[in-house]
Amino acid sequence: MLSRRCPFPDVREKSEAILSGVQELGIRIPRPLGHGPSRFIPEKETIQVGKEDATMHTLFAESFATLGRLDNVTLVMVFHPQYLESFLKTQHYLLQMDGPLPLHYRHYIGIMAAARHQCSYLVNLHVNDFLHVGGDPKWLNGLENAPQKLQNLGELNKMLAHRPWLITKEHIEQLLKTEENSWSLAELIHAVVLLTHYHSLASFTFGCGISPEIDCEGGHTFRPPSVSNYCICDITNGYHGVDEIHASPAGSIPVSSTESVCEVEALMEKMKQLQECRDEEEASQEEMATRFEREKRESMFVCSSEDEESAATRDVSRHFEDTSYGYKDFSRHGMHVPTFRVQDYSWEDHGYSLVNRLYPDVGQLLDEKFHIAYNLTYNTMAMHKDVDTSMLRRAIWNYIHCMFGIRYDDYDYGEINQLLDRSFKVYIKTVVCTPEKTTKRMYDSFWRQFEHSEKVHVNLLLVEARMQAELLYALRAITRYMT
């Protein structure tokens, strides 16, 4: 993350002496194992610490003050400072400000949620935070060692993570009416927001190939560096040496620039044609409903061609129950789930006010974050400028909600197949539904001529659309219980 030569010659000179002495004593010094904050994005293409603008510098300072570290999620998310600011503000409020749940419960719920997707990156961070705020170490031996109240949250956690359309008011009732282990409505709203936040953050972590932090398992090595090439500054900040920086990433897909440019041009042409069709004629409500059902059905047959399990660096399965329970398409095996119609229950008209009433200010923070992710644009597409990307952003958002059985009556789902090709759909579905199976090849295979910042933007859309979908099902069930 830093320049190749230490900017402080006296520091480098002292560092060489220290490292020589350390090696003579046989002391092992941990240094970063990865190549920057992401395994998918070359280190030299990430935002360089020390070269950030004033806005980014302020965000880095806020992140460091809040978390006690400048974590790798922040270093990738900072491609989009406006979103990062909203994200950090929301996360800070959920974890550290006044709220219904005690601090150690909040971090433990974060552990439970991240563990459902085998996201050892987030689990490790929150294990440390849980202990820091006075959490009982025994709880970390397994969910069965946590209070019964938290154990009771396990069923909601697994359904929200994998099959949120199955949540009913009966599940809510079981949590609210379990005598001495019951949850209050305010506590449950806080827990639901935390669960959905960390499920979706696991999607971002895997979707962007976030590397483990240096102080976490899988994030460091003890192989001694060359004294002549390294400085203490380099080691602590993630610089790995010329040989490592220029190593070609495994799994990358070579592609001609001509082929990729044609891909971008074709996508822009489709957007233009769809806009012209919109202006000329509008499909009937019956036809729109048919197109939604067709897209929902087709989404079930989009699956990863690389059935690759994630290599968990830490056993996280002890933090949740029913390890065999995972994502399944909602219409498989003769099971029929009614379509969730946004006109009947929406975030704007129903979910927002419920959250804000029971957990003040959180509804506002979430609403701002959803809007920033959905509306964020720089009016560019790869090498093209002054492009209206709203049609493409809406297609991505609505495709994710379609996979969850959520329908917008005013949207023509025929546009999705025109704008999102199969490799992109595979990536979207994997990151949203089974993020632990995301591979670098999937990341490389879509939008090959686009900037990494644009792919990170896609992941922000995936994160927020997924979180809102989970929230809609949970909040609708809570509303039904209350009425």
Side-chain angles (χ1 to χ4, degrees):
M1 296 295 293
L2 296 182
S3 57
R4 285 175 55 189
R5 292 294 297 175
C6 177
F8 310 109
D10 56 329
V11 172
R12 174 169 285 277
E13 189 176 323
K14 289 177 182 177
S15 296
E16 290 178 0
I18 291 169
L19 287 171
S20 294
V22 162
Q23 287 181 358
E24 286 176 13
L25 292 170
I27 297 173
R28 300 196 307 165
I29 297 179
R31 68 183 185 88
L33 187 62
H35 305 278
S38 166
R39 293 179 291 107
F40 297 172
I41 305 171
E43 186 173 4
K44 62 181 183 293
E45 295 185 39
T46 57
I47 306 297
Q48 303 294 299
V49 176
K51 296 182 180 178
E52 71 275 11
D53 61 25
T55 302
M56 292 178 183
H57 182 78
T58 301
L59 287 171
F60 283 164
E62 288 175 1
S63 178
F64 188 85
T66 301
L67 303 172
R69 67 167 79 231
L70 198 54
D71 67 10
N72 289 336
V73 166
T74 299
L75 291 172
V76 172
M77 226 176 246
V78 79
F79 273 120
H80 304 285
Q82 185 187 4
Y83 175 86
L84 176 59
E85 182 178 14
S86 178
F87 173 86
L88 290 174
K89 190 164 55 173
T90 304
Q91 184 166 261
H92 176 66
Y93 195 93
L94 290 173
L95 292 176
Q96 298 183 14
M97 301 298 284
D98 289 343
L101 294 174
L103 298 184
H104 63 302
Y105 265 49
R106 304 181 197 192
H107 290 293
Y108 196 81
I109 289 169
I111 292 169
M112 289 173 63
R116 283 261 37 137
H117 284 307
Q118 303 168 41
C119 188
S120 55
Y121 174 88
L122 292 175
V123 169
N124 286 333
L125 290 183
H126 283 281
V127 162
N128 293 334
D129 291 337
F130 171 77
L131 295 171
H132 181 70
V133 297
D136 186 345
K138 291 177 184 174
W139 297 10
L140 301 175
N141 293 330
L143 184 58
E144 67 277 6
N145 296 289
Q148 188 62 45
K149 184 171 178 174
L150 283 168
Q151 292 184 45
N152 292 346
L153 201 62
E155 186 77 5
L156 185 64
N157 180 27
K158 77 177 186 182
M159 285 192 296
L160 270 175
H162 306 300
R163 307 174 204 173
W165 46 86
L166 297 181
I167 297 171
T168 66
K169 67 177 183 179
E170 284 73 29
H171 293 112
I172 303 304
E173 185 175 21
Q174 285 174 2
L175 289 166
L176 297 172
K177 291 189 174 180
T178 47
E179 298 171 358
E180 73 274 11
N181 297 312
S182 65
W183 292 74
S184 70
L185 270 170
E187 288 175 331
L188 185 57
I189 289 289
H190 194 169
V192 163
V193 175
L194 282 168
L195 289 172
T196 58
H197 176 80
Y198 283 103
H199 294 157
S200 56
L201 190 54
S203 284
F204 184 85
T205 301
F206 285 115
C208 291
I210 301 296
S211 300
E213 306 297 331
I214 184 174
D215 57 334
C216 291
E217 192 171 340
H220 59 263
T221 178
F222 289 106
R223 182 163 57 87
S226 163
V227 173
S228 61
N229 291 337
Y230 278 82
C231 169
I232 291 291
C233 296
D234 297 330
I235 297 169
T236 57
N237 286 283
Y239 172 67
H240 309 127
V242 177
D243 57 326
E244 293 183 7
I245 283 181
H246 295 292
S248 53
S252 58
I253 300 173
V255 59
S256 71
S257 58
T258 307
E259 183 183 343
S260 289
V261 169
C262 290
E263 195 176 53
V264 178
E265 299 287 358
L267 182 54
M268 291 185 65
E269 183 58 32
K270 284 177 183 174
M271 289 167 60
K272 181 182 175 184
Q273 290 172 1
L274 285 171
Q275 186 58 56
E276 289 171 355
C277 290
R278 270 187 191 175
D279 296 339
E280 289 173 10
E281 59 178 331
E282 188 174 319
S284 66
Q285 280 298 313
E286 292 77 10
E287 177 59 24
M288 299 265 263
T290 300
R291 290 175 185 177
F292 168 79
E293 291 299 330
R294 184 184 303 130
E295 188 58 50
K296 187 172 75 167
R297 193 166 53 250
E298 287 181 5
S299 75
M300 295 191 305
F301 300 103
V302 173
C303 55
S304 166
S305 57
E306 306 174 48
D307 193 14
E308 186 171 318
E309 295 293 336
S310 63
T313 55
R314 175 191 175 101
D315 177 23
V316 297
S317 63
R318 63 178 176 271
H319 298 301
F320 63 92
E321 297 171 324
D322 200 357
T323 55
S324 63
Y325 192 96
Y327 173 79
K328 273 201 171 66
D329 292 309
F330 47 75
S331 293
R332 287 282 170 93
H333 309 301
M335 193 174 149
H336 176 69
V337 176
T339 293
F340 187 125
R341 300 179 69 194
V342 171
Q343 70 179 45
D344 298 330
Y345 195 96
S346 69
W347 165 255
E348 291 79 8
D349 297 334
H350 306 92
Y352 166 82
S353 57
L354 177 61
V355 172
N356 237 29
R357 186 165 82 249
L358 293 169
Y359 188 9
D361 298 329
V362 169
Q364 181 64 40
L365 289 168
L366 293 176
D367 193 60
E368 177 187 278
K369 190 158 62 76
F370 291 149
H371 277 93
I372 289 173
Y374 187 87
N375 296 311
L376 186 65
T377 183
Y378 306 95
N379 298 306
T380 59
M381 276 183 63
M383 70 293 296
H384 298 278
K385 300 186 185 305
D386 300 318
V387 182
D388 181 359
T389 62
S390 57
M391 181 183 291
L392 187 54
R393 284 180 277 120
R394 190 178 186 192
I396 294 169
W397 186 280
N398 286 1
Y399 179 62
I400 294 161
H401 279 199
C402 178
M403 291 192 305
F404 283 82
I406 298 172
R407 182 190 167 204
Y408 294 82
D409 286 357
D410 62 345
Y411 183 68
D412 181 356
Y413 286 84
E415 292 185 4
I416 289 174
N417 269 338
Q418 296 292 313
L419 297 174
L420 312 183
D421 64 27
R422 186 165 184 81
S423 63
F424 192 15
K425 284 184 173 181
V426 166
Y427 177 79
I428 291 173
K429 186 169 184 181
T430 304
V431 170
V432 170
C433 301
T434 53
E436 60 276 9
K437 294 184 178 180
T438 308
T439 65
K440 186 177 188 304
R441 181 170 290 275
M442 290 178 192
Y443 176 90
D444 288 339
S445 67
F446 81 93
W447 286 9
R448 291 168 291 183
Q449 194 63 23
F450 284 70
E451 300 290 332
H452 286 291
S453 61
E454 291 173 304
K455 292 194 172 192
V456 172
H457 185 186
V458 166
N459 277 302
L460 299 184
L461 282 168
L462 270 52
V463 162
E464 297 304 331
R466 174 187 178 170
M467 183 174 184
Q468 191 179 96
E470 285 189 30
L471 277 174
L472 282 172
Y473 279 107
L475 296 175
R476 185 181 67 170
I478 292 172
T479 300
R480 287 176 173 175
Y481 166 79
M482 292 170 67
T483 54

